[in-house]
Amino acid sequence: MKAVELLEQLHAVPTFKKYGRVTKVVGLMIEAQGPESSIGDVCKIHVFSAHTGHQKILAEVVGFRDETVVLMPFTSLRDISIGCLVESTNKPLEIKIGPELIGKILDSMGNPLDGSILPKGLAVVDTEGEPPNPLTRPPIEEKLEVGVKAIDGMLTVGKGQRLGIFAGSGVGKSTLLGMIARNTTADLNVIALIGERGREVREFIERDLGPEGLKRSIIVAATSDQPALMRIKGAFTATAIAEYFRNKGLNVMLMMDSVTRVAMAQREVGLATGEPPAQKGYTPSVFAILPKLLERTGTNEYGSITAFYTVLVDGDDMNEPIADTVRGILDGHIVLDRVLANKGQYPAINVLKSVSRLMNHIVTNDHKIAAEKLRELYFTYSKSEDLINIGAYKKGTSKEIDEAIFYEPLITNFLKQGYLDPVSLEESVNQLIHLANRGG
């Protein structure tokens, strides 16, 4: 029987290859006559150059125009000319994954950025995974410690929850991600740095993450100078790595900075392939790819992926199209406020604008009551802050405002935390309850 199966496999091996030829290069796109391929297939473009000799440039099939294949390269278009041979692999992008990658920094193709060779024995995985079946997702019932008082106390996160960190530029998103990566009790961190400046990658690894954080992390970096397709694939590669370890039964922490730049990269691809611009220039494919990417995280029958996605909001506009779409998909959002940052409050989390949709289901009753009380007091103070600051409010006029004035510096002090000062979940909750009971 085995001999028959082997013979069938041998007969299935093609005895010749069909190639296509490059016929046109426009902007970011390459058009080729053939070969036979499907959307998402990876092709190899054979390039001959006097400087580099024979090379194979990888490209992905992103569309068809009349009878031509439209390709987008993973690298630059340099040295590609009319007549270059195009060979289809007839399969999508695959990467190699295994525990040996922990502590490494990879590119979007899954290769080490330091130029080292991947170890042998790694599993081969397709980056274009499917979200888990909704009926196989266990409900989220366990808390996950992230080591940040404002989150553990006021916005408690569950294992498998997905949250967005919304902020303008320079308000502390990367620093907050570094704090979470160093202090979380998750088994493994997978960090995707998408569209970052080149210098920020090393700064994040050495300053924000640190050696201890790197020992339990896998980093996928696709900097802003790389082609749009590499930035998109960086997000999918990081998600595929997190999925692999989730299926091994681990509780994985996935952090992506930022999902906005993934959307911008997809907009570049969409416009180049002829899609019409929709909301603020974003093409329809952007709003199709976001739920497909974000829904892949969460729980399944084996383990969990707790995900933090940063969203860069232009001009601090929380209702711009990408922010609005992402907020509707995720299980909560954390808003970083520039006003708080200007006051010197770090992390600059605005707890009144932030919400964890699962907090009430996973915390104790005492914890929930304490968090609600402090939120109400903070809201009362924020409503009357202008009157208080100009001296128009007289003490004794309102019992609620008097109590809020007493609590405001205590709450602010609770929400502040040095980025090198971890606080356990238990300690954060104890401080919160003690504060709510006027323990100060």
Side-chain angles (χ1 to χ4, degrees), residues 90-381:
N90 295 313
K91 57 185 180 182
L93 177 66
E94 294 178 333
I95 58 170
K96 294 180 178 180
I97 307 175
E100 295 84 356
L101 295 183
I102 297 173
K104 291 189 176 293
I105 299 98
L106 311 174
D107 64 12
S108 299
M109 313 290 285
N111 299 313
L113 274 179
D114 61 5
S116 61
I117 299 172
L118 286 172
K120 295 181 180 179
L122 300 178
V124 178
V125 176
D126 180 2
T127 60
E128 301 280 342
E130 292 295 325
N133 186 312
L135 297 182
T136 65
R137 288 185 184 266
I140 297 170
E141 296 173 340
E142 289 184 64
K143 299 185 288 289
L144 179 71
E145 181 178 315
V146 299
V148 180
K149 286 191 293 183
I151 298 176
D152 283 338
M154 304 289 284
L155 305 162
T156 312
V157 178
K159 288 182 181 178
Q161 188 172 351
R162 302 160 305 145
L163 294 104
I165 298 175
F166 294 74
S169 56
V171 188
K173 296 185 301 298
S174 297
T175 303
L176 180 58
L177 286 184
M179 287 177 68
I180 295 170
R182 287 195 313 274
N183 303 330
T184 181
T185 55
D187 299 320
L188 174 71
N189 299 316
V190 179
I191 304 170
L193 302 176
I194 309 299
E196 292 288 315
R197 303 176 188 89
R199 68 167 178 82
E200 289 181 328
V201 174
R202 187 164 181 177
E203 283 183 6
F204 175 83
I205 294 167
E206 295 181 357
R207 186 185 63 195
D208 296 329
L209 187 60
E212 289 302 314
L214 183 59
K215 284 180 184 176
R216 52 201 293 266
S217 303
I218 299 174
I219 297 174
V220 178
T223 51
S224 58
D225 60 292
Q226 295 185 353
L229 195 59
M230 284 290 274
R231 283 175 269 145
I232 296 169
K233 291 302 176 185
F236 281 82
T237 294
T239 305
I241 292 170
E243 286 173 327
Y244 171 85
F245 288 102
R246 175 180 63 183
N247 293 339
K248 297 293 183 183
L250 299 184
N251 294 310
V252 183
M253 175 74 76
L254 171 67
M255 286 174 276
M256 190 175 294
D257 186 15
S258 74
V259 73
T260 306
R261 293 193 177 105
V262 177
M264 289 177 174
Q266 182 60 40
R267 177 174 62 183
E268 286 182 43
V269 174
L271 292 173
T273 54
E275 279 189 79
Q279 299 182 56
K280 285 199 173 180
Y282 288 102
T283 57
S285 63
V286 173
F287 302 100
I289 198 177
L290 285 175
K292 183 180 176 184
L293 175 64
L294 303 181
E295 284 290 343
R296 288 171 61 180
T297 53
T299 59
N300 71 358
E301 62 267 42
Y302 306 110
S304 69
I305 302 174
T306 306
F308 284 88
Y309 299 97
T310 68
V311 182
L312 185 64
V313 288
D314 292 334
D316 297 326
D317 178 14
M318 296 299 299
N319 296 314
E320 60 96 25
I322 300 304
D324 200 42
T325 301
V326 171
R327 189 166 55 243
I329 298 170
L330 300 179
D331 307 319
H333 51 274
I334 297 170
V335 177
L336 301 186
D337 195 321
R338 193 177 299 278
V339 174
L340 296 178
N342 291 340
K343 287 181 180 179
Q345 180 177 321
Y346 287 101
I349 297 173
N350 188 325
V351 293
L352 297 179
K353 294 181 180 179
S354 306
V355 64
S356 169
R357 294 179 183 171
L358 294 173
M359 177 175 174
N360 289 343
H361 303 289
I362 58 177
V363 301
T364 63
N365 196 47
D366 288 345
H367 183 178
K368 185 171 89 170
I369 291 170
E372 287 175 352
K373 178 180 178 180
L374 295 186
R375 188 184 289 268
E376 287 172 8
L377 289 165
Y378 209 43
F379 176 71
T380 301
Y381 181 86

